[in-house]
Amino acid sequence: MKRWPAEWEPHQAVWIGFPGNPEEWPVGLEAAQLEVAAFANAVSDRGAGETVVLVCRNKVDANVAQALVAPCVIVVTESFGDIWLRDTAPIFSIDSESLSGRNFGFNGWGGKYQMPGDQDIGQRLAKRFDLPIEDQGWILEGGAIDGDGAGRLITTEQCVLNANRNDHLTKEQVDQHLCEAFGKQNICWLGDGLIADHTDGHV
């Protein structure tokens, strides 16, 4: 039985991208680092047994992060571009009580922000933590979908069916792909998602 857990369900771990690229953060880099480190510390302090992994793009950033987070936060180094691991890392479902990752294609939110490392960060993180993943062969960002953990999924035509993502797929084909990836039976399609956002309408 395949099931995609809801975001509010207990996690085994959470991966958080740490800001470090001065080209992406020409202003406010230090403040962003402090805020992300505080978030990592807050999650690790909940006492729910959740592992917190702070992913840094190089050793210099890792040293900065290590000085800001609690000892229980795991700091690792993996090259990436944008900190939005929600969109670039694998999306995990539960297959017969075991975690199984779905690794989708990523093209910089429709070609707008293409950065080295974002295309394969999912594969590298899964390999580092010895987690199984399956390549899906089409483009999907984690922010483009949401689910309730009980077989219902919501997404938007504006993003997932955008010509800059999956121009070779029909709505019916994407519907089938989503069901195959997450075991979903009830998919709700919205026309548009977030307004004035570079994601082209994440849900």
Side-chain angles (χ1 to χ4, degrees), residues 134-155:
E134 298 177 1
D135 289 328
Q136 300 300 298
W138 59 289
I139 292 172
L140 181 72
E141 299 116 30
I145 55 175
D146 201 358
D148 67 355
R152 297 175 182 86
L153 183 149
I154 187 169
T155 189

Side-chain angles (χ1 to χ4, degrees), residues 83-103:
I83 68 169
W84 284 109
L85 299 179
R86 175 202 64 185
D87 291 338
T88 57
I91 304 173
F92 288 91
S93 61
I94 298 174
D95 293 358
S96 301
E97 304 305 318
S98 298
L99 279 181
S100 178
R102 307 292 181 261
N103 191 52

Side-chain angles (χ1 to χ4, degrees), residues 27-40:
V27 177
L29 174 58
E30 183 177 349
Q33 291 174 333
L34 290 171
E35 185 170 337
V36 170
F39 170 58

Side-chain angles (χ1 to χ4, degrees), residues 45-65:
D45 193 44
R46 293 189 312 169
E50 183 168 340
T51 299
V52 179
V53 179
L54 201 56
V55 184
C56 302
R57 66 191 189 100
N58 54 41
K59 291 183 178 180
V60 172
D61 293 346
N63 289 335
V64 173

Side-chain angles (χ1 to χ4, degrees), residues 64-148:
V64 173
Q66 199 78 65
L68 297 174
V69 296
C72 58
V73 175
I74 300 171
V75 177
V76 302
T77 301
E78 287 288 349
S79 175
F80 64 87
D82 198 281
I83 68 169
W84 284 109
L85 299 179
R86 175 202 64 185
D87 291 338
T88 57
I91 304 173
F92 288 91
S93 61
I94 298 174
D95 293 358
S96 301
E97 304 305 318
S98 298
L99 279 181
S100 178
R102 307 292 181 261
N103 191 52
F104 294 90
F106 180 76
N107 70 344
W109 298 281
K112 291 182 285 295
Y113 299 94
Q114 299 205 47
M115 303 180 188
D118 283 346
Q119 294 73 29
D120 65 349
I121 182 63
Q123 295 166 321
R124 287 183 281 114
L125 283 173
K127 182 178 180 180
R128 172 184 279 269
F129 292 99
D130 196 26
L131 294 167
I133 58 170
E134 298 177 1
D135 289 328
Q136 300 300 298
W138 59 289
I139 292 172
L140 181 72
E141 299 116 30
I145 55 175
D146 201 358
D148 67 355

Side-chain angles (χ1 to χ4, degrees), residues 86-87 109 141-144 156 159 165 193-194 197 199-203:
R86 175 202 64 185
D87 291 338
W109 298 281
E141 299 116 30
T156 73
C159 179
R165 303 294 209 288
L194 292 172
D197 188 88
T199 64
D200 296 320
H202 273 185
V203 74

